Amino acid sequence: MDFTPDETQRDVAGLAADVLAREIDFGRPAGPDGYDEQVWRALAKAGLLGLALPPELGGDGLGVAEVAALLTELGRSAAPVPALTLALGLLPLQALGTPDQRAWLLPEIAAGDALVTAAVCEPSPTQVVAEDGRWLLTGVKTNVPFASVATRVLVPAGGGVFLVDPQAEGVTVAGSTLRLDGVAVDEADQLGGGDAVEVSRRFAVAGMLALGDGALAGALALTTRHVAERHQFGRPLATFQAVAQQIADVYIASRTVHLAVQSAVWRLATGRDPQPDLDIAAYWLTREGPPALATCHHLHGGLGVDITYPLHRYYAAIKEVSACLSS
């Protein structure tokens, strides 16, 4: 068992870090779709959004481990982009999509022209009714990232996964909540495979874990730098015992989450049963992530709530993935 990133994964992480360091500007307002399109386009131009596409569709033929490495860097930089489309949309489509679905959507995602998200959280199961050779979906999905601007939403229902157009008749989007009222889908909208629900869920969980792992590490690095540079009574904050103890607690939480996430992603990438490790990693992230971010905010004082300072982005990322992983 060796979780050490291989050369390809290190190259992916390094390239992503370079692009993000060059392109991210936290003073630049989000675009009309709620994210920084300039950063997203730069990632696409660097080939990072197409890592998991097969060569015949212009990709590198890589897998979940490399996508997880990218997501971790996106989390570490608090990148204002729709990062989870890679785990919620691209990976399930690559593994389960029909040839037509893959040929249509995968290159669009890789180019930064399409967002495909997934509705994996729900207060109750979505109902499926067969009618005239198609299916009608009814239910409520919560915590759906970028639902209002997505090209398609992957919706698990009745043992299958369907591509739903958020602009279709019967679909209502309110924030991150997706309501389906007799939404019609047919065979062309269904992903293949009898275990499609479980496969897509595992990709979604692994992606959220990787993003959360990076966000926690990024918040730790930001806070460590702050307490080393900020002075009180003529001394850096980091030299005060109480501050040192608190930042040590955040470090322990970050390293615990990182190890658990690495184990889960490794098992998924190598074809082993990832479920116990996915559950363990989700437990540690949802248990330790929010309190760790609260400590980071506390150590920053008033600076932590300044919208031009990136700490709130880390908090939002941890809050988003923790809410979905807990549901």
Side-chain angles (χ1 to χ4, degrees), residues 3 5 31 49 57 61 72 104 122 129 143 150 211 238 244 284:
F3 304 147
L49 303 187
L57 292 179
T72 300
W104 165 41
E122 57 186 350
V129 177
N143 297 312
L211 186 69
W284 283 114

Side-chain angles (χ1 to χ4, degrees), residues 102-271:
R102 295 166 74 219
W104 165 41
L105 285 169
L106 291 182
E108 293 287 304
I109 296 173
D113 294 330
L115 295 182
V116 177
T117 187
V120 295
C121 307
E122 57 186 350
S124 60
T126 299
Q127 302 299 312
V128 182
V129 177
E131 181 181 283
D132 298 330
R134 58 182 185 171
W135 296 276
L136 304 180
L137 311 182
T138 299
V140 177
K141 302 285 189 176
T142 59
N143 297 312
V144 185
F146 292 92
S148 62
V149 297
T151 305
R152 290 292 184 273
V153 180
L154 271 64
V155 176
V161 177
F162 299 90
L163 287 166
V164 173
D165 183 350
Q167 306 301 320
E169 184 179 355
V171 180
T172 303
V173 180
S176 62
T177 298
L178 187 76
R179 296 183 180 275
L180 309 172
D181 185 12
V183 179
V185 292
D186 56 31
E187 188 173 352
D189 300 313
Q190 186 172 15
L191 272 63
D195 57 350
V197 173
E198 183 61 23
V199 170
S200 59
R201 189 193 70 81
R202 287 177 173 179
F203 283 137
V205 171
M208 287 187 281
L209 289 171
L211 186 69
D213 175 24
L216 185 51
L220 170 62
L222 189 69
T223 307
T224 300
R225 186 164 58 250
H226 172 75
V227 298
E229 296 173 350
R230 178 82 173 189
H231 285 65
Q232 281 190 353
F233 308 109
R235 297 166 54 191
L237 283 175
T239 63
F240 292 91
Q241 185 178 32
V243 172
Q245 289 173 335
Q246 290 180 74
I247 202 68
D249 287 341
V250 178
Y251 173 82
I252 292 170
S254 178
R255 296 305 297 170
T256 300
V257 168
H258 180 68
L259 177 60
V261 172
Q262 288 289 96
S263 178
V265 171
W266 175 78
R267 294 189 67 86
L268 183 58
T270 56

Side-chain angles (χ1 to χ4, degrees), residues 4 28-29 35 43-45 48 87 100 111 164-165 189 226 246 254 266 295-296 321 325:
T4 305
R28 186 168 54 230
Y35 62 93
L43 292 166
K45 186 176 180 180
L48 289 165
D100 287 344
V164 173
D165 183 350
D189 300 313
H226 172 75
Q246 290 180 74
S254 178
W266 175 78
T295 298
C296 290
V321 298
L325 290 170

Side-chain angles (χ1 to χ4, degrees), residues 246 293-301 311:
Q246 290 180 74
L293 262 293
T295 298
C296 290
H297 272 289
H298 171 70
L299 292 174
H300 272 88
L311 184 59

